[in-house]
Amino acid sequence: MDFSKRVILVTGAARGIGSATANAFARLGGSVAVHYCSSQKQAQALAKSLPGDEHTTFQADLTSPDDCERLMTEVMRHYGRLDVLVNNAGIYEVKALANLEFRDWQATWKRTLDADLIGPANLCFLAAKMMMRQTSGHIINISSRGAFRGEPEAPAYGAAKAGLNQLSQSLAWALAPYNIFVGVVAPGFVRTDMTAELLDGPQGDAIRAQSPLKRAATPEEIAEAVVRLAADGMLYATGCILDVNGASYLRS
Ligand code: NAP
């Protein structure tokens, strides 16, 4: 795989899966637009540490449509093209229905849908417009095993990720005539800030036991799946949802 002369925008790249993904693309020669929301120092340190010298940081709160538009404008102004969009940024709030007041329920749904579905949908739109002009591009959306398995303690998250899967498949159809690949990577448990409390808490062993590999994934294993979907020769796999869950939830 060779991503030299390719521009890759990774959202939420300062930490976790996004950081590993930025690393994976840079090691393969890509120029990475390192997006962050609040983790400015980590994003800058990452951009500096990546192999190659064409990496730049960009700030945006992706729950704001204006920020999404500004981000895409700044990326295009800087690089002049966009080859790969990885919609990785997201939030996960454990909010079981039984413990919530109606107001909290509504607020959780709004925050989660804005961050995990509407923001990525807006970036898909903006990136697609560029890629349609280029008649090439890859959009990879990071969904979750929870979209299939259910998220009893985070139903808004499960619903947002299921929506992201369907958005991706609709766009795969719509954008195929323009030579644009749209695919999904759906991880199970991955060791990042998002899951540290769960994996290090009393439920940790039970979570690891969900996979016959008896462990959570590393962020690098998810990044590996992302770069493979973004590689040349994958166009006919457009619309796919690649499960990377250590066989913890199998569907056929
Ligand atoms: P993480 O370590 O918690 O990082 C989340 C990232 O999202 C951060 O870089 C953060 O940016 C960014 N972000 C959050 N809200 C944002 C907003 N409003 N605007 C812009 N960026 C925002 O998460 P992770 O575990 O690496 O997860 C990455 C993706 O994988 C998410 O979509 C998640 O749902 C999915 N996933 C994770 C797991 C898992 O087990 N970890 C499993 C399945 C799916 P800043 O730090 O700069 O604010």
Side-chain angles (χ1 to χ4, degrees):
M1 289 183 286
D2 179 10
F3 288 94
S4 48
K5 298 199 176 63
R6 306 268 169 95
V7 177
I8 301 105
L9 168 59
V10 181
T11 68
R15 304 190 275 126
I17 294 169
S19 167
T21 302
N23 256 296
F25 277 112
R27 274 200 308 276
L28 294 165
S31 302
V32 184
V34 175
H35 159 267
Y36 67 95
C37 181
S38 56
S39 301
Q40 182 182 26
K41 280 196 184 131
Q42 283 153 288
Q44 287 171 343
L46 174 76
K48 226 170 148 187
S49 73
L50 294 175
D53 52 11
E54 293 294 323
H55 317 296
T56 312
T57 58
F58 298 88
Q59 194 281 334
D61 179 346
L62 301 179
T63 62
S64 153
D66 288 346
D67 270 27
C68 290
E69 201 166 23
R70 179 179 50 76
L71 169 66
M72 204 55 76
T73 304
E74 288 177 359
V75 169
M76 290 307 286
R77 195 178 296 138
H78 187 85
Y79 290 106
R81 60 181 293 112
L82 180 63
D83 299 289
V84 183
L85 165 66
V86 183
N87 264 317
N88 164 76
I91 60 168
Y92 173 77
E93 292 185 5
V94 173
K95 297 279 183 183
L97 179 150
N99 308 328
L100 289 184
E101 299 299 331
F102 187 41
R103 261 178 208 284
D104 300 333
W105 170 261
Q106 291 173 61
T108 302
W109 272 82
K110 173 140 182 43
R111 274 195 303 274
T112 305
L113 289 184
D114 280 349
D116 292 354
L117 182 57
I118 313 281
N122 286 338
L123 287 186
C124 282
F125 175 92
L126 295 162
K129 290 286 185 180
M130 316 291 175
M131 292 173 176
M132 286 162 85
R133 284 198 283 278
Q134 293 169 185
T135 57
S136 69
H138 283 74
I139 297 174
I140 320 280
N141 293 324
I142 309 298
S143 153
S144 172
R145 178 187 74 168
F148 303 105
R149 188 174 180 260
E151 290 281 352
E153 297 198 327
Y157 178 83
K161 294 298 192 181
L164 189 60
N165 286 347
Q166 184 42 239
L167 166 73
S168 306
Q169 294 189 323
S170 297
L171 291 183
W173 274 76
L175 298 176
Y178 301 91
N179 215 28
I180 298 168
F181 171 98
V182 187
V184 174
V185 172
F189 265 94
V190 187
R191 178 164 275 286
T192 66
D193 295 345
M194 189 177 271
T195 54
E197 211 176 304
L198 284 170
L199 289 170
D200 294 337
Q203 304 170 57
D205 285 341
I207 291 170
R208 280 180 283 279
Q210 290 172 4
S211 162
L213 296 169
K214 304 289 182 214
R215 63 175 178 83
T218 63
E220 289 71 24
E221 287 174 305
I222 310 306
E224 186 68 27
V226 174
V227 294
R228 281 171 192 272
L229 287 191
D232 284 344
M234 290 302 287
L235 185 58
Y236 214 78
T238 193
C240 74
I241 300 175
L242 179 53
D243 292 338
V244 189
N245 65 34
S248 63
Y249 186 80
L250 298 174
R251 56 197 179 92
S252 55

